[in-house]
Structure formats: C-alpha cells, structure tokens
Amino acid sequence: MPKIKINYFIPLLMTLPNCSSERTGWEKHLYSSDVLEAQNVISEELVSQYIKTLSSDDFQGRKPATKGGKKTIKYLVDEFKKLDLEPGNPSGEFTQRVNMLGVKSFVRTQFINDEERWAMKTGIDIIGNSYLKQKKINLEKVDIVFCGYGVYAPEYEWDDYKDIDVKGKIVVVLVNDPPIMNGSNFDPSMFKGSAMTYYGRWSYKYEEALRRGAAGAIVIHETGPAGYPFSVLQSGHNAEHLTIENKSSLQFEGWIPLKTAKRLFAMSGTTFTDMKKKSLSKTFTPEVLNVKFISRISNTFRNVSSENVVAKIPGNDPVLKDEYIIYTAHWDHLGSNNKLPDDKVYNGANDNASGTAMILSAAKAFKTLKDSTRRSILFLAVTAEEDGLLGAKYYNQNPLYPHNKTLAVINVDAMGNTYGRTKDIIIVGKGNSNLDQILESASEQDNKYISPDAEPEKGFFYRSDHFEFAKMGIPALYVNGGIDVRGKNKEYGLMKKKEYTDNHYHALSDEVLDSWVYDGMIEDNKILFRVGYAVSQNDEWPTWNEGTEFKEKRAISLDSN
C-alpha cells in the first residue's frame, strides 16, 4: 500500500463522521460532518462567477446612488432570493434604505497674527470641509489650541486636553497614537506598542474635538504615521462627499501637510519639532497658539439615498434563533469617469467584488447545511464604505437586530489572495478578541497558521465596515489573505500584496486578471464559513480581550439585556 502524505491525510480525517467525538467547545463544531460537507459548495466556479459579474463594466463601478449602484442592489437581492434566503429586514424586504447627505464645500482659510496674514491655498496648504447642512459656515479669528495627539484615554492615564476649555476654538492635533518608547522599542503597555489604536485614527480626532465643543479640528499629516501620502487626501478634496446627516458636526474639519504645520508653529514663535516632542509625555498641557484661524465655507448639498442589502437564514433553536452572527462586505466601489480617454470604469474586482462574492458563497454553504444552525445568520452587503463606512454606520445607528443579541461580525473586504493557497491567514487586529482562537482552530484544519497584520501601525482594523460594529461593542473578525504562499515564499506573497497596492488599489486596473488563482480564496472562504458556523452553534459567546477599547462598551450593552 503506498504511503499517504500528511498534507492529504489531514483533509481526509476532516470528512470522517466520528472525527469530532473527542473535541469540545468551538472546535467540535468546526469538525461537524454537516459543515464539512456543506463547505464543498464554495467552489472556484461559484466565487469567480460572482466576482466577474459584479466587477463587469455592466455595473459601472458600483457607485452608490447611480445606475450601476442600483443594478448592483438588484443583482444581490436576486441572488439571495435564488439561494432561498429570507429577507433580512424585519419589514419583509431584502434592503435597508440608507439616507445620506451629499456635500460639496468651497473653502477659503487664513492663519493670522499681529505680524502676518497667510491666505492658504486650498488643496495645497490645507484641505477641509464641513458636513453641516448650511450654505454658509464662517469662522472669524478663532483661537487655535494645539492639543498634542488629541487623545483622551483614561485606561492609559493619558489626557491631551487636560481641563482646558476648547469650546468654540480650533483644535490642532497630530495623527496616529503617541509613539511611546521603552528604550529603542515601542512600549507595549501604551497604545498597543507599534500598532495603531482607534485613538490614532483621524475620525477619532474629529469626534473627540466635537465632544469637547470645539468649532473645528485640523489634523497634521505626516506620511509615516498616517500610512499614506498627503496626495491621497488631495485627490478629490473638492468633490462631493457623502455623510450621514448629523446636526452636531464640526464647523470645520481638515488636514494640513507637514510644511503648513511648520509654518503655523513658526508664526506662533515655536517649532513643530519642539511641540511634537512635548506631546510625547503624559504631562503635556495644551497650548494656545499666537495665531488665529479664519475660514469661509460655501456648501452645496443634496439628499442622497442608497441601500444596504440584507438576507437571513433563521436559526432552528427556539431560544437562540433570536441571536445573530453577521457576515459583512461592502458592495460599493468608485463608479466611473466619462472624462477619461479609454477605460472609464473603476471595476473594483478585488475591492470589493471579492468580499461580496465570498459572503454570497458562504450564504449558499449555510443554506446547504442539513440541520441549519442554532442561531440566525445575517448576510449584510453594505453601501458607501468608500465614503467612510457609511452603510455600516447607518446600520449601527438604525440596527435591524439588537446589538446585545448580535454575537459577532465577520467582515470580508478585498481579501487580496489572488495568487494561490497560502500557509497562513492574516488577522487584522490580531489579539482583540477570542475570535482569533476560533479562526486559528479553523485554519489548522487546512494546515494553516495565523499571522498578524504586517503593518499594524497603519490601523487597517479601523478602516473597514466591521469597525462600526466594534464601536457598538460587538466582537469583530477581519481577515486578509496570507503571504506565505505554498510552493513559493513570504517574499513572493509580500511582492504580490505590494503589487496590488501600488498598481491596482482604487485604480482602473482593479479588474479580474488572467493571472488570478482562486484556490487560496476558496480555502479562506471555507475557513470563514466554518468560523461562523462554530459561533452559531456554541454555547459560549465571543468576547473582547482585556485591554481592548471595545470591551467596556460590550459590557454595557449586555447589561441592558
């Protein structure tokens, strides 16, 4: 009898009916013969067809509130109906209307003191806007307060505001977290070491300034800490931006490049280097600059609506069927530009036709289960992610199902693995919750290991739809395709990731290519299916780990049960 290689033997064991007899907890559900059989419907033919359809020119780049966006919504509803899923909206519909405000701001700004008046060039020296639904928003010689990193984090005994009153003033802050060092290394006890926390995100800076009553906030851009060049912010700065209407928005929110920050501090009689150095201490005290801020904003706005698509597979447990696991992926992309000479469509094949295809495929697998699941499974394809996670934000402001009945969110966004099977799978935000351990067990079934995000300082965990659920306290899992490519090496995987980022991310070339290999994506899709199944079946709920910024919110939410 020929010897059986171990990498063939392990998958063979997974198909045996009694292979779960000695396993307990989450793991026994991962090896259920039902889930192992059902996952086989997740095939290259299925996933690739979804991706090719959604990223075809017929869908015109899937921009919300366009013909292409509406066609995408109809396609997704039709596909969920074909799979015999139920409407996910309790109203009996497969959609949730998302009402947004489209705002276009014409901005003029100045920094001024007794010796100098600097009229800045919008788009070069500063970019900014306001999401207030007002035609004219003017600030006249407003005080400017430098508040370090703009962070209030009591768990780290860190307060960049102290007790200074910033009401009606402009707050200027640095991007990212304070880089606290312990010798030559980042201090792991402060702000997760080198990994960005939510305190480092620009969106948090605006939110905290608003909570403090500031008139506006300006973030100082540095390419390293931000994770991208200032040119990313400059592109489209004068275009229409979508938002969820909020009457308490800041009167001004903006960015300045490093060269502007240096000149601002020089006008106040100090230097950027000195002020940043002061900010790296808990004893830092905000400083009022010897400069005033003037801004004139003319806004045009319109009401815009799009739709989240939501489908449901009800649980079969009389008690647990009112508890939910949600698979999320954003269906939208950047649309098309008819002014371009040749290719006009931003097809978004990887970002995020791939993720949408994967949750559709997972839905088919769940529907194939012989015994269904104890808890209910929701499939939520959200709109307007590219405009700032707006579809996910709207859902969480207007949840169709209670947050304290939602066990976990599994998010799929531009998986990126179009280059073959890998030995690893990446957890973005590794260490946040015990969903990591469930994913690790599911990955071991395919002889894979878990890798952390290779660039945690860029804060990718805070840049996709699951984050809006995490802010509500719901444990969230966000994974990415691995880099340790079988038959090759990690350098090859990193090269392919960089190739996509440099050449295809948010570019016209994000299309299905002849070079794409689907087996890695299929393997990862099956892993995420098994993870969701295990959560749906197990008695234990997923939890945030100690020290995670979302743990307290979850405790408050569950106390309201």
Side-chain angles (χ1 to χ4, degrees), residues 116-367:
E116 185 177 358
R117 179 186 293 268
W118 180 21
M120 289 175 281
K121 295 179 181 178
T122 304
I124 298 175
D125 302 316
I126 190 171
I127 63 170
N129 67 328
S130 177
Y131 287 114
L132 286 173
K133 196 174 181 179
Q134 298 176 18
K135 291 184 177 180
K136 300 290 183 182
I137 305 165
N138 298 329
L139 294 173
E140 186 68 38
K141 294 185 178 179
V142 176
D143 286 340
I144 301 173
V145 185
F146 176 63
C147 291
Y149 284 85
V151 171
Y152 173 65
E155 67 272 32
Y156 297 116
E157 299 180 345
W158 195 280
D159 183 3
D160 281 329
Y161 284 88
K162 300 301 188 284
D163 292 322
I164 192 169
D165 185 3
V166 296
K167 290 180 180 177
K169 301 173 183 177
I170 291 290
V171 170
V172 172
V173 296
L174 297 158
V175 73
N176 213 314
D177 301 311
I180 308 305
M181 308 300 290
N182 186 353
S184 59
N185 299 314
F186 285 97
D187 185 345
S189 68
M190 294 295 295
F191 299 101
K192 296 185 180 180
S194 63
M196 183 189 289
T197 70
Y198 183 50
Y199 297 120
R201 288 289 290 154
W202 56 268
S203 52
Y204 165 81
K205 316 287 185 178
Y206 295 145
E207 291 166 4
E208 188 62 34
L210 182 62
R211 283 190 286 269
R212 301 279 174 163
I218 298 173
V219 180
I220 298 172
H221 178 275
E222 294 180 86
T223 297
Y228 44 81
F230 192 67
S231 59
V232 171
L233 299 168
Q234 291 173 303
S235 61
H237 75 89
N238 57 353
E240 180 184 67
H241 298 278
L242 299 180
T243 187
I244 305 298
E245 186 173 349
N246 188 342
K247 294 180 181 179
S248 60
S249 295
L250 292 168
Q251 296 176 67
F252 185 91
E253 53 184 64
W255 289 79
I256 53 175
L258 184 56
K259 64 178 182 179
T260 297
K262 289 179 177 179
R263 182 168 173 180
L264 168 63
F265 288 120
M267 288 175 67
S268 190
T270 184
T271 68
F272 171 80
T273 301
D274 287 344
M275 296 300 280
K276 184 174 182 178
K277 185 176 180 180
K278 290 180 181 179
S279 303
L280 300 177
S281 170
K282 290 182 180 180
T283 61
F284 167 79
T285 300
E287 294 192 22
V288 179
L289 301 184
N290 185 31
V291 182
K292 304 288 187 181
F293 181 70
I294 298 173
S295 68
R296 301 282 186 269
I297 295 180
S298 298
N299 269 349
T300 59
F301 40 81
R302 65 188 180 105
N303 293 323
V304 177
S305 68
S306 184
E307 291 172 305
N308 293 329
V309 180
V310 56
K312 175 181 176 181
I313 298 178
N316 61 15
D317 187 297
V319 176
L320 300 184
K321 67 180 182 180
D322 290 330
E323 298 174 357
Y324 304 90
I325 293 89
I326 304 180
Y327 282 82
T328 57
H330 72 91
W331 61 255
D332 66 297
H333 197 55
L334 306 179
S336 57
N337 184 351
N338 290 328
K339 295 181 181 179
L340 296 174
D342 299 309
D343 188 2
K344 305 178 188 303
V345 179
Y346 292 87
N347 301 88
N350 198 350
D351 183 14
N352 186 32
S354 67
T356 309
M358 289 174 72
I359 69 166
L360 282 166
S361 301
K364 184 169 184 176
F366 275 103
K367 196 63 183 178

Side-chain angles (χ1 to χ4, degrees), residues 323-327 375-378 406-408 410 532 535-536:
E323 298 174 357
Y324 304 90
I325 293 89
I326 304 180
Y327 282 82
R375 296 183 175 90
S376 296
I377 313 294
L378 296 179
T406 303
L407 276 74
I410 299 171
V535 176
S536 74

